[in-house]
Amino acid sequence: MSHRLRRAAAPYLLIAPFFLLFGVFWAGPIVASFLYSFTEWRGITPPEPIGLRNYERLIGDERFFIALGNTLWMAGTYVVCANLASLSLALVLDAGWLRLRHLFRTAFFLPMTISMVVSAVIFQLIYAGDIGLIAKLLALVGIEGPAWLRDPTTAPLAIVAMRVWRTMGYYAIIYLAGLQAVSADLKEAARLDGASEWQVIRHVTLPALKPVALFCVVLTSISALEMFDEPMILTQGGPGDATLTAVMFVYQQGFQFLELGYAAAASYVLTLVIVVISIAQKLWLGEKER
């Protein structure tokens, strides 16, 4: 009997370390932070329950809504630009006339292998005032470029451009996998019926890519709504609060001002926003898919 019990328990013992780590480092902190969102806690003294006061405070916090607005605007711009750029790149990489396609696929994917900190430092040099690469190139044609990271108008766009550059190759590979799954017979039949290459792409290729597009749109949306590294390194949320994102707001409240309960409440509001947007995208794109 004991031998049978050991054999029956063996699989559970083998997977137990995963669930232990999952509970301690993932599920546990999620539950704890949710409970802390209903407390006033500065990390030194014990948490003091205050009910919904943190959430009520968020409703009246103008800076939180500025951060949320910046996040939604930058995320929306990034999602559109990243998916259009990635799909266009995938179509080029899938074209029959392209030579050295494996080299190009590797080259465009390489930015994803570069550390975010290194990428940000590179783009700081590219965007830098009068000595940056963009400023030097514009000076060759007699144009004085803006202070990319010091102007409230251009700073968010500069961050979005960097993020698109870094992730475009990654999502292009996903789109490319979808393109290669499209039936070659359908495309050939459309060509035989007199369809131009653009008509084949529009009426055959793109409709077949809708599940892949949904996946990429949801993925880019979630990652963009959690944007932190780029604005933190490039602008620290400035100039003013022009590039302050929701995750940066949570970070500042929690680690700079030590208002950990308030930061937890803000993080759960952001989580709710991400869930609602993801569900809306699934419903909207899912309806179009059908």
Side-chain angles (χ1 to χ4, degrees):
M1 186 66 178
S2 60
H3 178 68
R4 289 181 180 178
L5 284 175
R6 284 199 298 269
R7 289 194 56 163
Y12 299 100
L13 291 175
L14 291 173
I15 64 174
F18 165 78
F19 287 102
L20 180 62
L21 292 173
F22 178 82
V24 172
F25 295 105
W26 188 259
I30 289 175
V31 174
S33 64
F34 180 70
L35 296 177
Y36 288 143
S37 71
F38 299 101
T39 68
E40 182 177 350
W41 184 40
R42 293 187 174 273
I44 302 173
T45 57
E48 180 184 343
I50 57 172
L52 296 173
R53 201 177 306 164
N54 284 327
Y55 292 95
E56 293 171 355
R57 180 181 166 190
L58 277 174
I59 294 175
D61 193 332
E62 182 182 355
R63 197 161 179 264
F64 173 71
F65 283 98
I66 290 174
L68 193 58
N70 291 341
T71 302
L72 293 173
W73 187 88
M74 293 168 69
T77 305
Y78 166 73
V79 169
V80 173
C81 294
N83 281 279
L84 288 178
S86 300
L87 177 57
S88 301
L89 178 59
L91 289 169
V92 173
L93 293 175
D94 191 51
W97 50 263
L98 183 67
R99 298 292 179 264
L100 301 174
R101 64 182 63 196
H102 295 295
L103 175 63
F104 285 112
R105 290 174 188 176
T106 303
F108 281 106
F109 187 80
L110 278 177
M112 278 296 294
T113 66
I114 301 174
S115 164
M116 176 59 72
V117 175
V118 173
S119 300
V121 170
I122 292 172
F123 271 81
Q124 276 183 328
L125 298 175
I126 292 174
Y127 290 137
D130 297 330
I131 61 172
L133 177 61
I134 296 178
K136 292 293 185 183
L137 292 175
L138 292 176
L140 293 176
V141 293
I143 299 176
E144 183 179 354
W148 297 98
L149 298 178
R150 296 196 300 271
D151 188 320
T153 303
T154 58
L157 295 175
I159 290 173
V160 169
M162 173 194 163
R163 193 176 182 90
V164 170
W165 167 83
R166 188 169 185 271
T167 61
M168 178 174 63
Y170 173 78
Y171 292 109
I173 296 298
I174 299 176
Y175 277 113
L176 185 60
L179 286 171
Q180 293 178 343
V182 178
S183 172
D185 293 338
L186 284 177
K187 294 191 283 188
E188 187 60 31
R191 293 189 185 99
L192 290 174
D193 286 340
S196 65
E197 200 60 38
W198 166 245
Q199 288 173 324
V200 171
I201 292 173
R202 180 181 176 187
H203 297 291
V204 178
T205 305
L206 293 183
L209 277 180
K210 283 182 180 178
V212 178
L214 172 62
F215 175 76
C216 288
V217 166
V218 172
L219 211 60
T220 51
S221 298
I222 293 173
S223 68
L225 290 168
E226 296 172 347
M227 193 181 300
F228 174 78
D229 295 338
E230 298 93 331
M232 186 67 184
I233 298 170
L234 288 175
T235 61
Q236 293 78 51
D241 285 331
T243 58
L244 177 70
T245 64
V247 177
M248 285 188 68
F249 178 86
V250 172
Y251 170 80
Q252 290 177 352
Q253 297 300 319
F255 292 96
Q256 293 183 5
F257 307 141
L258 290 180
E259 297 195 24
L260 299 175
Y262 188 52
S267 70
Y268 271 92
V269 172
L270 176 60
T271 301
L272 180 62
V273 170
I274 293 174
V275 170
V276 169
I277 290 176
S278 299
I279 293 174
Q281 288 174 334
K282 177 66 175 71
L283 293 175
W284 182 54
L285 293 175
E287 285 294 328
K288 287 195 166 187
E289 188 178 337
R290 287 194 289 272

